[in-house]
């Protein structure tokens, strides 16, 4: 494949991705604040009729246009042979479902495209705030047309760190993070792209996450100059048989190294 042909398909897929994620976000917003049917998939993991509706829209839009691509979503069956797919859509139709159901504007629609197991395109959309984050490998990351760059924090002291509401108590009192400015917000994808936008210095989660939680935001952070690893600094490996990661650390490169060294024993 020539560089020109690669750029052509990436540009086309980028346009398709933006169209699909924007439509998915508009659909999610139409359900926001409503009395929705919802249930627990597993303890502590809610899902609603809105999650399934957005998932169906994204799958129809993306897979009808790219039927030879693989599919991996939190809310629907993965495509046959997705581990061998050269290109794979990785989808979280509503990341932050609990916040969505509670009427908090901290959820996102998050979609990434992997090529040979690595993110090359990503879009993360918060419909309630209108923030649309997107990136193309080698083409930078943007939100509302503004180019994104991670902050320059290089040490833990006074670093702005985003965590989940469920982990706030534990991490805010963590002896290695005691001098940081810890804030809680839902949607791991949202937290990661806020680091890309220099609205936080890092995001930490010591709980397991799945490919769909991370892939869309990963490329946005990378193109903004940051890096996404496990809490002990190991690289994310996507599209495995079990698409799961032990923990998450998102930060600029200097701060990432220091934080991972501090958190490696947890």
């Amino acid at each position: 494949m020539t560089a020109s042909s690669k750029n052509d398909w990436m540009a086309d897929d980028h346009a398709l991705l933006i169209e699909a994620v924007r439509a998915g976000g508009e659909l999610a917003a139409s359900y926001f604040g409503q009395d929705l049917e919802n249930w627990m998939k597993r303890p502590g993991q809610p899902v609603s009729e809105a999650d399934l509706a957005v998932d169906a829209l994204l799958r129809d839009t993306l897979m009808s246009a790219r039927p030879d691509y693989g599919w991996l979503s939190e809310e629907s069956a993965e495509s046959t042979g997705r581990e061998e797919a050269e290109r794979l859509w990785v989808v979280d139709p509503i990341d932050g479902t609990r916040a969505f159901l509670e009427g908090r504007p901290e959820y996102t629609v998050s979609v990434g495209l992997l090529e040979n197991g690595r993110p090359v395109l990503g879009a993360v959309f918060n419909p309630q705030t209108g923030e649309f984050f997107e990136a193309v490998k080698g083409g930078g990351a943007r939100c509302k047309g503004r180019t994104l760059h991670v902050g320059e924090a290089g040490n833990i002291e006074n670093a702005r760190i985003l965590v989940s509401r469920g982990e706030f108590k534990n991490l805010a009192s963590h002896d290695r993070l005691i001098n940081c400015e810890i804030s809680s917000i839902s949607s791991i994808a949202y937290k990661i792209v806020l680091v890309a936008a220099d609205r936080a210095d890092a995001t930490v989660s010591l709980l397991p996450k799945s490919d769909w939680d991370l892939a869309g935001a990963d490329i946005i952070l990378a193109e903004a100059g940051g890096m996404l690893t496990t809490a002990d600094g190991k690289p994310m490996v996507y599209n495995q048989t079990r698409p799961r990661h032990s923990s998450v650390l998102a930060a600029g490169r200097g701060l990432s190294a220091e934080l991972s060294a501090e958190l490696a024993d947890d």
Side-chain angles (χ1 to χ4, degrees):
M1 179 184 295
T2 66
S4 177
S5 61
K6 182 177 178 68
N7 290 340
D8 287 345
W9 76 254
M10 287 186 70
D12 290 345
D13 283 3
H14 181 234
L16 173 64
L17 175 65
I18 288 176
E19 173 191 357
V21 171
R22 193 169 293 282
E26 290 170 357
L27 179 58
S30 73
Y31 284 94
F32 187 69
Q34 305 299 313
D35 184 16
L36 301 179
E37 182 181 357
N38 66 90
W39 57 96
M40 288 289 176
K41 295 181 291 185
R42 290 173 292 279
Q45 294 188 26
V47 65
S48 75
E49 59 183 296
D51 295 80
L52 301 188
V54 175
D55 185 75
L57 182 153
L58 291 170
R59 185 163 191 157
D60 180 64
T61 303
L62 295 170
M63 292 303 291
S64 62
R66 302 291 186 269
D68 56 332
Y69 286 17
W71 175 266
L72 177 63
S73 170
E74 182 174 15
E75 307 301 352
S76 57
E78 64 187 53
S79 59
T80 301
R82 59 97 177 155
E83 290 177 63
E84 289 73 46
E86 179 184 6
R87 295 178 192 142
L88 176 73
W89 296 116
V90 183
V91 175
D92 197 338
I94 297 180
D95 184 43
T97 297
R98 188 181 300 280
F100 177 82
L101 291 171
E102 293 175 355
R104 289 185 278 112
E106 299 174 4
Y107 71 93
T108 59
V109 177
S110 178
V111 181
L113 179 66
L114 305 184
E115 183 184 30
N116 298 318
R118 293 303 307 161
V120 293
L121 298 175
V124 175
F125 182 29
N126 182 330
Q128 302 309 129
T129 64
E131 297 162 298
F132 195 106
F133 301 84
E134 49 86 13
V136 181
K137 183 178 181 180
R142 292 155 294 278
C143 180
K144 295 184 176 180
R146 181 177 67 86
T147 300
L148 304 180
H149 301 284
V150 297
E152 297 180 357
N155 58 71
I156 295 176
E157 191 76 20
N158 299 319
R160 303 164 297 166
I161 299 181
L162 296 176
V163 302
S164 68
R165 292 174 184 273
E167 291 186 272
F168 178 79
K169 184 176 180 180
N170 179 44
L171 289 173
S173 59
H174 194 297
D175 58 359
R176 296 179 179 93
L177 305 179
I178 198 70
N179 293 320
C180 298
E181 180 185 323
I182 310 289
S183 303
S184 62
I185 195 170
S186 297
S187 173
I188 185 65
Y190 192 31
K191 290 192 283 284
I192 293 168
V193 296
L194 290 177
V195 174
D198 191 20
R199 288 165 56 189
D201 297 313
T203 288
V204 175
S205 176
L206 302 181
L207 298 176
K209 301 298 178 186
S210 298
D211 280 10
W212 48 76
D213 297 310
L214 308 175
D218 188 337
I219 185 64
I220 296 169
L221 179 65
E223 288 296 317
M227 58 190 301
L228 190 69
T229 67
T230 59
D232 56 359
K234 295 177 182 176
M236 296 296 178
V237 180
Y238 291 102
N239 198 23
Q240 301 298 291
T241 301
R242 187 170 184 262
R244 197 78 164 150
H245 310 271
S246 62
S247 54
V248 175
L249 169 59
R253 293 182 179 276
L255 185 58
S256 178
E258 185 170 346
L259 277 168
S260 64
E262 295 291 347
L263 296 169
D265 294 334
D266 292 311

